[in-house]
Amino acid sequence: MTDNQRLSPGDPAPDFTLPDADGNEVSLADYRGRKVVVYFYPAASTPGCTKQACDFRDSLGELNSAGLEVIGISPDKPAKLAKFRDAEKLNFPLLSDPDRAVLTAWGAFGEKTMYGKTVTGVIRSTFLVDAEGKIEVAQYNVRATGHVAKLRRDLSV
């Protein structure tokens, strides 16, 4: 398997329409005119993904005040996302991409190194999409812990 094409600042953000935790369709186009943080994570309710989601939850007020929305995307089915959202009191949309088409289009699915082995899976990634739908920030292989604080520092939020 070859590396997926990675997105860079200035690239158009690949559009998507995916179901949220309640089965409602959410599109990137719904956010035109606003900046949105789109982050990809491997699996709901796992320790790292829970930490990262809770960090976004706890920072959402400051992010929203800075004009930023947040969307999380994983391969989990909506029912699992709803359970995760409710258990952790998450206050932003979690979207389901079980066929990994959106993950792949954003370069967030492919080969990665985990515990010294090369595996195929979700590459924990975060993007800032500007109001016109272009990638402003593209970060691949981010750490679950401390990532949101670093993102806030990078964006001066």
Side-chain angles (χ1 to χ4, degrees), residues 14-32 34 36-38 69-73 78 81 85 92-97 102:
D15 214 352
F16 59 77
T17 300
L18 293 170
D20 68 9
D22 298 315
N24 301 311
E25 289 195 340
V26 175
S27 297
L28 182 59
D30 299 341
Y31 291 85
R32 285 292 187 276
R34 296 178 280 167
V36 60
V37 174
V38 179
E69 305 285 334
V70 174
I71 299 171
I73 301 176
L81 295 176
R85 177 199 61 203
F92 55 88
L94 298 176
L95 306 185
S96 172
D97 183 24
V102 174

Side-chain angles (χ1 to χ4, degrees), residues 76-99:
D76 297 307
K77 298 212 180 308
K80 185 174 181 187
L81 295 176
K83 188 175 175 185
F84 182 44
R85 177 199 61 203
D86 295 347
E88 302 303 332
K89 298 177 177 43
L90 301 177
N91 49 1
F92 55 88
L94 298 176
L95 306 185
S96 172
D97 183 24
D99 65 5

Side-chain angles (χ1 to χ4, degrees), residues 22-144:
D22 298 315
N24 301 311
E25 289 195 340
V26 175
S27 297
L28 182 59
D30 299 341
Y31 291 85
R32 285 292 187 276
R34 296 178 280 167
K35 289 186 173 191
V36 60
V37 174
V38 179
Y39 83 97
F40 295 90
Y41 62 99
S45 303
T46 58
C49 296
T50 298
K51 174 68 175 138
Q52 185 179 25
C54 290
D55 284 350
F56 272 115
R57 176 198 67 202
D58 296 345
S59 297
L60 195 64
E62 290 88 354
L63 292 167
N64 288 166
S65 293
L68 303 171
E69 305 285 334
V70 174
I71 299 171
I73 301 176
S74 77
D76 297 307
K77 298 212 180 308
K80 185 174 181 187
L81 295 176
K83 188 175 175 185
F84 182 44
R85 177 199 61 203
D86 295 347
E88 302 303 332
K89 298 177 177 43
L90 301 177
N91 49 1
F92 55 88
L94 298 176
L95 306 185
S96 172
D97 183 24
D99 65 5
R100 297 165 179 82
V102 174
L103 285 148
T104 300
W106 286 64
F109 185 80
E111 286 188 355
K112 63 182 185 175
T113 302
M114 202 161 109
Y115 306 113
K117 295 187 188 233
T118 300
V119 298
T120 300
V122 175
I123 300 164
R124 192 182 303 275
S125 308
T126 300
F127 303 87
L128 175 60
V129 179
D130 71 16
E132 287 76 48
K134 296 224 183 285
I135 300 293
E136 191 171 311
V137 175
Q139 299 175 336
Y140 290 92
N141 297 308
V142 301
R143 294 190 176 279

